[in-house]
Amino acid sequence: MIISDEIAVVPVGISCITGYQIAQSKAVLEKRFGVEFKATSSFFRYVFQDPRGIALFFEKYLINNEDIQESDLTFDDNDIYHCPHLRDTGTWFVHEEPGRSFDETGEKRSLQEIVVQAASKYNYLLNKFRALKEKKKRIFVLSNADLAPRSWPRYLIGCIEWKIHKSNIDQTFQAINKAFPEGENIFLFVGSIHNVIKDLDICVSYFVKEANDWCGNDDDWQDIFSTMPLVTFDKEKNARHNNEKIKSLPSLDKTYTANSPEMCVDSGAVKIKNNSFEVSAYSGTNCIWGPYIKLCCGLYEVSLFVNTSQFWGVGQIKITSDNGNNVIISREFNKSDVDHLEGCIKVRFFVQQDVSYFETLIASVKHLVCKIDKIVISRV
């Protein structure tokens, strides 16, 4: 976090990226608030926090002023990283993992030594957090703007929920208001464009593009901090701001045509003409496949836009991931499945966790003849 005599800008989860970007944007925030900030250590700087437990964290440790007991820190048997964490609040001290700790300090410690030192270290940081009550203005930043989709093991096995819900944000900021009732609290939520949250009014929200590294897009964050409002107590104003941000977001639909390099075809069954796939395939032929991309968990729809004047036979859409090893959904289609208002065949499916090498496979079941103008993958 960064602090001045009267103001603090504070990360509250869900990962290291939030604290990192606050520190990176120190000069921008100094200009925005007209003060000189000092960077200092803070509780959530090197913590991964499950959004489902963050409100409970503030209730337990900031409102009720409990300290972290050594007996509160748990190592899961199936956790190959032996990361100490607070089970009740889903607070993971990832920089206290034995391997990471050794890399950073050169000191090899037993699990019990890690527990003792983690309890001491984070109780010290808790007391620094409590001292923020003396500040006149506090800016709390909650974010899940990590790389998406996530492949980190703790996300994949459900230890930490990557997707934040409106209830998580409302409950978190309500708990912070109870923990810091004096002075002024400003609430920011910085989300991934893969996790757009509607109807927020307790905070102002921003959504950032997918990045190429864990630390996110510096330019996006600095733009947020240079334009952020100086107050967030007006819920109607917050809601207007948030709705405008959502409306301005680019579409996440992914569109593929016959000229898209991500798509592959059986040249004996598919001809490429005027940027369309012209299919004429005997039974059992795999005709079109691709695009081998990553998808976040969520609800999706694949749409095949077809020309119904050139359509007969029976086809199959198979949705898979992991190079075809995981079949998400498979269904047959024919001309009667075309939505004549939109001119497409739609297949809706749910991705339970982030996947790699996502594939849409179009095959012929019974001498399929059709013209596919484009394939669109949409987040619903």
Side-chain angles (χ1 to χ4, degrees), residues 115-160:
V115 165
V116 171
Q117 293 185 38
S120 174
K121 172 182 176 179
Y122 287 95
N123 278 322
Y124 163 76
L125 293 174
L126 267 180
N127 285 327
K128 288 187 68 175
F129 214 139
R130 292 165 182 152
L132 297 177
K133 292 178 180 179
E134 306 303 318
K135 301 296 180 184
K136 291 185 177 180
K137 189 188 296 283
R138 295 164 293 264
I139 299 93
F140 293 98
V141 186
L142 175 64
S143 167
N144 77 327
D146 300 65
L147 289 180
R150 296 299 308 176
S151 59
W152 193 48
R154 290 194 186 92
Y155 286 108
L156 296 180
I157 64 176
C159 296
I160 298 176

Side-chain angles (χ1 to χ4, degrees), residues 18 22 38 92 96 123 134 167 224 259 267 288 290 313 346:
T18 317
I22 288 172
K38 176 181 69 174
W92 294 75
E96 310 309 314
N123 278 322
E134 306 303 318
S167 59
I224 289 168
N259 289 337
S267 59
I288 306 167
K346 293 185 176 183

